[in-house]
Amino acid sequence: MPTHVLVVEDDDKIAAPLVRTLEREGYVVERVAQGLLALERLGHGGVDLLLLDLGLPDLDGLDVCRRAREAGYRGGIIILTARDGELDRVVGLDVGADDYLAKPFALAELLARARALLRRSTALAETAPAAGPAAPALTRDGLRIDVQARRIWIGDVELAATSKEFDVLALLDTTRGAVVTREQLISDVWDENWYGSTKMLDATVGRLRQKLEDAGAPAQVTTVRGVGFRLEDSAGA
């Protein structure tokens, strides 16, 4: 099936060549120029990747990103913006974006990042256990990560997490009890060519650890100094 991309960009000079390039690459592309229209389109489903400008005329792109995740959108989100400071990137990722690309950007780099993000999403889905009856799984004690649905359960209570928090936890869960190196986490969850600070990883793990603790999860993320992190069941869990 073709990949559907929604471009949210109010500047015609940026949107037009971007849409043409994506279409030449075989994507099915739609474009809107306002945040509220983007949320309405996402609500209809079928969008695999959202390319999101932040400086929209009716709604800040960060609000669009946050609302999209809160509404259950599980596809990829790449923010495209002139706000290129480290704090800007952290905020963008915190509200649910998967990647962040500063303007002006090279179309080739954007395409590479889009392909990488879509590959990661596919790989995570393929590593998910075979689908079984849902009801028994949701009532099972302990921490459970449903990769296909991108949902986290503690017993029968769902834990809210950003896209990056989910990806980190899902990767740690694939080898629960074993160490996953910092390099592997950054490569698999962000990008092997990620150029930003590794503080992104530490901040994401810190938030995830706090959420698990606050929710009373019978598992915790432990730091292995100088190596990486592991997800381990709590004593008595």
Side-chain angles (χ1 to χ4, degrees), residues 110-138:
L110 172 61
L111 291 173
R113 288 176 178 270
R115 289 193 295 269
L117 175 57
L118 292 166
R119 280 199 305 272
R120 289 196 296 275
S121 299
T122 301
L124 283 172
E126 289 177 346
T127 58
L138 299 184

Side-chain angles (χ1 to χ4, degrees), residues 6 37-47 49-50 64 68 73 77:
L6 178 62
L37 290 176
L39 291 171
E40 180 180 349
R41 173 61 189 88
L42 290 176
H44 294 303
V47 175
L49 177 63
L50 176 65
V64 175
Y73 174 66
I77 299 178

